[in-house]
Amino acid sequence: MEILKQGAEGRLYLGVFKGEKCLVKERFIKHYRHPELDTQITRQRIKAETKAASRCQNAGILAPRILHTDLNERKIYMEYFGEAITAKELIQRVVADHSVETAEIVLKNLCTQVGTIIGKLHANNIIHGDLTTSNILINPKSENKDFKEYDIVFIDFGLSHYNQGAEDKGVDLYVLERALLSTHSEQPYLFDYMLEAYRKKCGKDEGTIVAKFEEVRARGRKRTMIG
Ligand SMILES: Nc1ncnc2c1ncn2[C@@H]1O[C@H](COP(=O)(O)OP(=O)(O)OP(=O)(O)O)[C@@H](O)[C@H]1O
Ligand SMILES: [Mg+2]
């Protein structure tokens, strides 16, 4: 059993399901939580991940196929993208390998694609709940290991839900902006490029969503100022 990641929340490892190599995501029991509440939260997250995967599939958005879930064992078996790296890693590589100017051009292209997909998610009322560059996979197109041509695959839908309202979409964007500013503080333009592409795809509520996003962000600022 090859462990890919061992964290506080759970562990990820490679497995096999009906002959297909897959990724198994197991969530640990949290002993500080009431056992029934803990079971409920875990089930909710596994269900959210499964539902979002099928909603993405219907909307033509790439996400790992869920092959099997085991609520008792707290495990999800999903499609494994063995060649992929996270958007976080790709951004860091691009920054390391290019001049500041070239990096911004390359990353603008990536951010435009990411923003377009987030717009599509929201147009389909899928709220991701944890938009970060660690939850976006960059999967190279077959013989193309230099990441010049790739598919973008969204992952980690455990906190996702379905909501048509502008508020939740605005909050989703705010979470993303905060994550980008803290993980990629030297590239403060990333979010702007994403938002520009997002606005073209998120549907008729564009204005309301962006207004909500700005409202949530202003609330966040006020909170930081008061401390
Ligand atoms: N289907 C997949 N194929 C390839 N790599 C994956 C896949 N799913 C996850 N990974 C890798 O494992 C990392 C962690 O996965 P994920 O984000 O789903 O878990 P997590 O952040 O620990 O989960 P959670 O936030 O739900 O507790 C990802 O950042 C990515 O590098
Ligand atoms: Mg994650």
Side-chain angles (χ1 to χ4, degrees):
M1 193 167 81
E2 189 182 333
I3 305 252
L4 293 179
K5 188 188 160 185
Q6 174 92 41
E9 296 271 313
R11 90 163 64 92
L12 290 172
Y13 52 89
L14 293 182
V16 179
F17 183 73
K18 290 191 177 163
E20 181 179 347
K21 197 169 173 185
C22 69
L23 185 133
V24 184
K25 187 166 167 177
E26 179 183 351
R27 292 174 184 280
F28 300 141
I29 297 178
K30 297 272 177 59
H31 291 288
Y32 59 79
R33 257 187 216 144
H34 187 282
E36 269 164 43
L37 178 65
D38 186 60
T39 303
Q40 226 181 321
I41 289 173
T42 301
R43 281 174 183 236
Q44 158 64 32
R45 294 215 169 154
I46 291 177
K47 282 183 182 163
E49 196 135 15
T50 313
K51 272 191 190 166
S54 75
R55 287 199 174 107
C56 284
Q57 203 152 31
N58 291 336
I61 296 162
L62 294 177
R65 277 179 299 123
I66 305 297
L67 306 171
H68 178 63
T69 55
D70 189 329
L71 291 177
N72 293 324
E73 295 230 306
R74 305 162 159 262
K75 288 176 189 164
I76 305 180
Y77 296 68
M78 69 177 94
E79 181 180 3
Y80 175 57
F81 297 92
E83 307 283 330
I85 60 172
T86 62
K88 176 180 171 182
E89 282 177 77
L90 182 61
I91 292 167
Q92 289 169 345
R93 276 194 205 181
V94 168
V95 168
D97 293 350
H98 297 90
S99 69
V100 173
E101 293 77 17
T102 311
E104 182 163 348
I105 294 165
V106 174
L107 294 178
K108 180 180 180 181
N109 176 29
L110 171 68
C111 290
T112 301
Q113 296 185 59
V114 168
T116 299
I117 302 171
I118 298 171
K120 228 167 158 187
L121 279 170
H122 284 185
N124 285 280
N125 303 312
I126 304 165
I127 312 301
H128 183 281
D130 190 16
L131 288 173
T132 68
T133 49
S134 298
N135 289 336
I136 300 172
L137 292 183
I138 308 298
N139 193 34
K141 290 212 166 138
S142 46
E143 296 302 303
N144 198 297
K145 302 284 153 60
D146 59 1
F147 292 95
K148 289 224 164 66
E149 270 187 79
Y150 49 76
D151 288 322
I152 298 177
V153 183
F154 278 62
I155 60 167
D156 205 358
F157 283 89
L159 295 175
S160 74
H161 62 279
Y162 181 91
N163 193 303
Q164 302 184 326
E167 169 99 26
D168 287 21
K169 294 174 187 177
V171 172
D172 225 16
L173 291 176
Y174 180 63
V175 168
L176 173 68
E177 186 190 39
R178 297 298 303 216
L180 288 171
L181 288 174
S182 81
T183 310
H184 308 283
S185 55
E186 304 296 309
Q187 292 74 44
Y189 50 81
L190 298 174
F191 181 76
D192 294 336
Y193 287 141
M194 288 184 193
L195 187 63
E196 193 184 328
Y198 170 89
R199 297 183 76 136
K200 294 177 186 146
K201 283 281 178 263
C202 66
K204 61 172 171 42
D205 294 335
E206 181 209 335
T208 324
I209 296 167
V210 174
K212 274 289 169 198
F213 158 66
E214 280 164 0
E215 191 187 312
V216 174
R217 183 208 245 167
R219 251 188 266 152
R221 287 242 169 86
K222 207 184 258 167
R223 214 178 306 123
T224 322
M225 264 158 43
I226 297 167

